[in-house]
Amino acid sequence: MGISLRSRWVFLPLVLALGAVSLYFLRLSIHHEAQPRPENPAPPEKKGPIYKDIDREVAPPLPEYFPIAAGAKSPSDLPPIPSWNKPPEKHVPESTRLYIGFTRFWPLLQQVVVSYITAGWPPEDIYVVENTGTMDSNKRGLLTIQNPFYLDYHRLTKILRVNIVSTPSLQTFAQLQNFYLSEAINNNLTYYFWSHMDVAVHSHEDRKDFKSLYMRAVDVIRETQQADYLVDKETGKKGEWGVQFFAYDWLTMVNVKTFAALGGWDTMVGYYGTDCDMYSRLAFNNYHQPIQDAGMVYDVTTSIDDLSILYRRRPKPSPTRETRDESNSTSPSPHSSNLDTTEPDTLNSTLFHNLKATFEQIQQDKRDDKYRNSWQLRQNGGAGEPYYYDPRGFEKALQMTIEVGTKINEEKWGHRGCDLKGAGLKEGDQWRVEHDETFG
């Protein structure tokens, strides 16, 4: 059947449109080929990185906070431990292992170690856990004092006679806690102590029933080992303890069995919030967390000027004028550690109260500081040394890691804040509840 003349006119606009488009592209192609091509076309301009405006000036070297230790060749060159704080000559039957973790800022580590030793803790029971991520660099003396991860390996092990254990790589706070737990399990310990490094301690010298900080800690061990400890008088049922707190967890005694039963610390929550998680889970599982008191434990940001004052030496009485003229000598400084010009201090002395006031002021300064851990930023050297990590970059990455861990803990419990029990949560609610009203 043929197509009518009227139907043929319907296709005419379409044919004309296709012809016009074809003609346009043909002319465009001819025009492009006619354009002269440059012999050596310039490469596109590349934009380099835009650097931050950062002050790269290295802070001056840290001062020496323990001059007598710097010149000591053996432990005998240090002053003796205050007589009232000396541990028993024969070690107590109980194990008293104390772990102190270290990542940055050597002056605070040195201070906390010396303060525990002079408060009676046996040096051989103190284990510094080097968590710097610098492998054996400190042991080989390859880091300088302005490197944030520096510690004086020789002074700790040969002069102060404490132990050093190194983590295989840099660990978060939660991972470090599980490292302590692992060490305890591998050494068949049923309990252990651990302490923050940014604290300083001393015994309660102003109490009539004086005992050293160390011996009060031993008393707590003995208390937990009594047959009637945590026995409910009504039911006769014996409870279990998880931790013994001395000034929150600035100094803590850990029950290995209970921590292992709960699977240790949640390493997905690396820093802030991981303590809330751990201690809440202990509470949810009815593990007791008694608060104990062995001595003063201060939260600090800096070291006192001369750590020899912790050994409690005072200047000998000034000689008579005749004797002074004959010897032509000068009086020692108030905090001299020279054994020839000083004598032992006494219990609960003026020097003790001055020392107590100094630590109280340092602690208050830390509380007043908007960034309470500003001490972590006082060293920014170490460029070119083994395992170097830019100090500012380390701090930035740390804060980001802390923030992520906090968010993980909030998602885990569906709650913002530390009062998990008050929010009605219980064991088994992890990762099973929706956000509550704290999310807004």
Side-chain angles (χ1 to χ4, degrees):
M1 181 173 60
I3 301 175
S4 68
L5 182 61
R6 186 175 181 180
S7 299
R8 292 174 185 172
W9 283 104
V10 173
F11 292 100
L12 182 60
L14 178 60
V15 173
L16 291 175
L18 290 173
V21 171
S22 299
L23 181 61
Y24 170 77
F25 281 106
L26 178 62
R27 293 183 62 185
L28 188 63
S29 176
I30 295 172
H31 176 74
H32 178 72
E33 292 178 359
Q35 296 295 320
R37 296 183 180 180
E39 295 181 1
N40 296 308
E45 182 180 354
K46 293 183 178 180
K47 294 184 178 180
I50 301 174
Y51 291 96
K52 299 175 182 178
D53 184 15
I54 297 176
D55 180 12
R56 293 290 175 182
E57 182 179 355
V58 177
L62 295 172
E64 176 56 72
Y65 292 100
F66 199 6
I68 192 173
K73 292 182 172 56
S74 71
S76 62
D77 292 329
L78 298 180
I81 305 300
S83 59
W84 54 90
N85 278 334
K86 281 186 176 179
E89 289 189 11
K90 184 180 179 181
H91 197 288
V92 297
E94 297 81 9
S95 169
T96 54
R97 182 172 295 202
L98 169 64
Y99 292 111
I100 303 175
F102 169 77
T103 298
R104 292 183 288 175
F105 202 54
W106 155 250
L108 285 189
L109 174 66
Q110 179 176 230
Q111 178 172 253
V112 69
V113 169
V114 173
S115 71
Y116 273 111
I117 291 174
T118 55
W121 215 286
E124 64 270 21
D125 288 354
I126 298 176
Y127 285 73
V128 171
V129 180
E130 184 193 356
N131 180 42
T132 64
T134 62
M135 306 301 175
D136 62 346
S137 299
N138 277 308
K139 186 175 183 179
R140 296 171 61 196
L142 301 179
L143 305 185
T144 58
I145 196 168
Q146 199 51 32
N147 189 316
F149 306 114
Y150 165 88
L151 62 76
D152 192 327
Y153 205 98
H154 173 81
R155 187 176 301 182
L156 287 172
T157 59
K158 302 302 182 182
I159 306 302
L160 296 174
R161 296 181 297 113
V162 302
N163 308 280
I164 298 180
V165 180
S166 297
T167 57
S169 63
L170 183 67
Q171 300 190 347
T172 66
F173 178 83
Q175 290 171 330
L176 191 62
Q177 292 299 321
N178 281 345
F179 182 82
Y180 300 162
L181 183 61
S182 173
E183 284 286 300
I185 292 171
N186 292 336
N187 286 278
N188 298 315
L189 301 178
T190 57
Y191 60 86
Y192 60 91
F193 294 87
W194 72 271
S195 174
H196 287 262
M197 61 160 283
D198 54 337
V199 302
V201 304
H202 65 64
S203 303
H204 286 308
E205 294 189 25
D206 47 1
R207 293 189 179 178
K208 292 182 179 180
D209 57 338
F210 173 79
K211 283 188 178 182
S212 71
L213 178 144
Y214 174 69
M215 288 309 300
R216 286 188 182 275
V218 171
D219 283 346
V220 173
I221 298 173
R222 293 170 178 171
E223 179 187 1
T224 64
Q225 295 174 343
Q226 295 297 312
D228 60 349
Y229 183 64
L230 297 179
V231 172
D232 189 298
K233 294 181 179 179
E234 295 182 0
T235 65
K237 185 177 180 181
K238 185 175 177 61
E240 285 276 7
W241 65 275
V243 291
Q244 306 280 337
F245 286 128
F246 303 83
Y248 188 49
D249 66 1
W250 296 344
L251 170 61
T252 309
M253 180 180 168
V254 173
N255 187 335
V256 173
K257 181 174 66 174
T258 56
F259 271 62
L262 296 185
W265 294 69
D266 185 347
T267 54
M268 295 298 180
V269 186
Y271 294 93
Y272 295 136
T274 195
D275 55 340
C276 295
D277 173 79
M278 185 73 242
Y279 303 144
S280 293
R281 287 190 288 125
L282 286 172
F284 293 157
N285 287 275
N286 299 316
Y287 292 123
H288 295 263
Q289 302 173 66
I291 297 174
Q292 303 286 1
D293 182 14
M296 291 303 301
V297 185
Y298 300 97
D299 187 23
V300 299
T301 60
T302 190
S303 173
I304 57 177
D305 293 337
D306 187 349
L307 293 176
S308 63
I309 195 175
L310 296 176
Y311 290 84
R312 303 288 297 284
R313 306 286 297 181
R314 64 186 182 189
K316 289 181 178 179
S318 299
T320 63
R321 180 175 179 180
E322 291 78 9
T323 307
R324 186 166 59 247
D325 290 341
E326 290 175 5
S327 63
N328 194 29
S329 63
T330 57
S331 298
S333 64
H335 302 321
S336 173
S337 55
N338 189 316
L339 299 184
D340 295 330
T341 58
T342 62
E343 63 183 12
D345 193 22
T346 56
L347 184 71
N348 196 27
S349 66
T350 299
L351 182 57
F352 164 73
H353 287 278
N354 290 342
L355 181 62
K356 183 177 179 181
T358 298
F359 280 129
E360 287 173 347
Q361 185 59 56
I362 294 174
Q363 179 169 259
Q364 187 59 49
D365 290 343
K366 184 172 187 177
R367 290 173 177 171
D368 293 341
D369 190 344
K370 291 183 179 178
Y371 182 53
R372 63 186 303 274
N373 288 329
S374 58
W375 55 269
Q376 296 176 339
L377 306 176
R378 293 182 192 168
Q379 294 163 287
N380 62 351
E385 296 174 8
Y387 303 97
Y388 172 76
Y389 200 113
D390 181 273
R392 295 175 183 83
F394 184 92
E395 179 62 21
K396 180 67 174 179
L398 174 63
Q399 295 305 318
M400 294 172 70
T401 305
I402 289 173
E403 183 179 353
V404 170
T406 301
K407 291 180 178 178
I408 290 174
N409 195 51
E410 292 171 353
E411 290 295 326
K412 177 179 181 178
W413 294 103
H415 178 78
R416 285 178 171 168
C418 201
D419 187 14
L420 302 183
K421 193 171 184 179
L425 295 163
K426 62 184 185 303
E427 178 65 41
D429 286 343
Q430 301 94 309
W431 300 108
R432 296 180 59 196
V433 295
E434 298 287 353
H435 291 178
D436 65 12
E437 67 279 359
T438 59
F439 281 81

